[in-house]
């Protein structure tokens, strides 16, 4: 609503510099992406950090040394999540720009179809649209490829941390050192319980980066 009201307030000089299709794309496609980001992210950002804090609190009570070791190893996952998120924000912006270009081409073709028919320019317009469509496809493909790669990467890194703790902690338990076997099982359960919410937060970060790219354009 605010964006539409802004459109009516802007001077004619603004519309001489910007294509109608580009502005339509910002008011429809970009607003929907930003809305999706807010809707999907809110509950996850509240629920999952609480779950992680609870699991780590129990783990700290059982063995603060082993928990600190896990926390030292976990930043590798966070670095990967942050780097992927930054890349997705850049790609998402390009994807939205290509969507705007495609919308502009479509709008110009529909509005100017009488001129296109009069000058027999159908082949020219078809080539232009297909070029725009192919450019959009490439950006959508790149975005989805990176999005789908982020989840298994986070899982792999979390599994490596868990296996290291299992090997190191298990050897200490069997030599009668760090904690009782039953507590070690509970400790491992707590640590492995953080994998799903960390993975979920990584996915939310990706959604937020896409939403932020859309918000910048809006």
């Amino acid at each position: 609503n605010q964006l539409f009201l802004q459109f009516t307030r802007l001077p004619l000089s603004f519309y001489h510099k910007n294509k109608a299709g580009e502005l339509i794309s910002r008011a429809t496609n970009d607003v929907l992406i930003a809305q999706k980001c807010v809707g999907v992210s809110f509950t996850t950002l509240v629920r999952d950090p609480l779950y992680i804090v609870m699991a780590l609190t129990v783990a700290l009570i059982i063995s603060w040394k082993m928990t600190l070791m896990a926390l030292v190893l976990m930043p590798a996952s966070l670095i990967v999540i942050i780097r992927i998120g930054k890349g997705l924000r850049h790609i998402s912006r390009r994807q939205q720009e290509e969507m705007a270009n495609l919308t502009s081409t479509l709008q110009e073709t529909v509005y100017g179809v009488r001129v296109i028919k009069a000058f027999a320019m159908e082949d020219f317009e078809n080539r232009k649209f297909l070029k725009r469509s192919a450019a959009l496809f490439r950006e959508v493909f790149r975005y989805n490829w990176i999005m789908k790669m982020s989840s298994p990467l986070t899982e792999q890194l979390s599994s490596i941390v868990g296996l290291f703790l299992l090997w190191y902690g298990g050897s200490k338990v069997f030599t009668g050192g760090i904690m009782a076997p039953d507590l070690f099982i509970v400790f491992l359960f707590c640590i492995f319980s953080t994998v799903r919410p960390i993975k979920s937060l990584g996915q939310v970060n990706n959604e937020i980066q896409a939403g932020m790219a859309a918000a910048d354009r809006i």
Side-chain angles (χ1 to χ4, degrees), residues 7-44:
F7 282 164
T8 59
R9 283 194 292 264
L10 289 164
L12 279 173
S13 58
F14 174 82
Y15 291 97
H16 294 319
K17 297 174 188 174
N18 293 277
K19 293 180 179 179
E22 163 77 18
L23 301 176
I24 291 166
S25 180
R26 292 195 192 204
T28 53
N29 185 56
D30 292 357
V31 168
L32 284 173
I33 291 170
Q35 181 271 329
K36 182 185 174 187
C37 161
V38 174
V40 170
S41 304
F42 183 74
T43 51
T44 306

Side-chain angles (χ1 to χ4, degrees), residues 1 6-7 9 24 28 30-31 41 52 68 78 86 91 94 107 145 150 154-156 181:
N1 290 343
Q6 178 67 7
F7 282 164
R9 283 194 292 264
I24 291 166
T28 53
D30 292 357
V31 168
S41 304
I52 291 168
L68 287 178
L78 297 176
K86 285 181 178 178
I91 293 168
R94 287 216 305 267
Q107 185 252 349
W145 188 82
S150 66
T154 307
E155 280 186 14
Q156 290 292 330

Side-chain angles (χ1 to χ4, degrees), residues 17-183:
K17 297 174 188 174
N18 293 277
K19 293 180 179 179
E22 163 77 18
L23 301 176
I24 291 166
S25 180
R26 292 195 192 204
T28 53
N29 185 56
D30 292 357
V31 168
L32 284 173
I33 291 170
Q35 181 271 329
K36 182 185 174 187
C37 161
V38 174
V40 170
S41 304
F42 183 74
T43 51
T44 306
L45 286 173
V46 173
R47 181 193 62 208
D48 287 346
L50 283 172
Y51 195 89
I52 291 168
V53 168
M54 286 168 65
L56 289 178
T57 300
V58 176
L60 277 165
I61 292 166
I62 295 170
S63 173
W64 65 269
K65 288 181 181 177
M66 289 279 288
T67 306
L68 287 178
M69 190 181 297
L71 291 174
V72 167
L73 295 169
M74 276 183 181
S77 299
L78 297 176
I79 290 166
V80 170
I81 289 168
I82 290 166
R83 287 183 68 86
I84 287 171
K86 285 181 178 178
L88 280 173
R89 183 169 180 172
H90 179 65
I91 293 168
S92 180
R93 182 189 291 275
R94 287 216 305 267
Q95 178 183 318
Q96 289 153 35
E97 286 170 356
E98 291 299 343
M99 174 62 82
N101 289 334
L102 192 72
T103 305
S104 294
T105 303
L106 180 61
Q107 185 252 349
E108 287 165 6
T109 302
V110 172
Y111 282 144
V113 71
R114 289 179 179 82
V115 176
I116 291 166
K117 293 284 186 184
F119 289 91
M121 292 177 67
E122 291 93 340
D123 288 343
F124 173 80
E125 292 298 327
N126 288 344
R127 286 195 300 272
K128 187 165 78 170
F129 184 85
L130 291 173
K131 184 181 176 183
R132 293 292 190 196
S133 179
L136 175 61
F137 173 80
R138 283 194 298 272
E139 296 303 332
V140 170
F141 186 89
R142 287 182 67 198
Y143 179 84
N144 281 281
W145 188 82
I146 294 173
M147 188 79 135
K148 300 300 179 189
M149 280 293 291
S150 66
S151 180
L153 270 174
T154 307
E155 280 186 14
Q156 290 292 330
L157 289 167
S158 301
S159 298
I160 289 166
V161 172
L163 286 170
F164 177 79
L165 290 172
L166 183 62
W167 167 76
Y168 178 79
S171 63
K172 293 291 183 183
V173 167
F174 287 122
T175 55
I178 201 159
M179 68 182 85
D182 54 347
L183 281 177

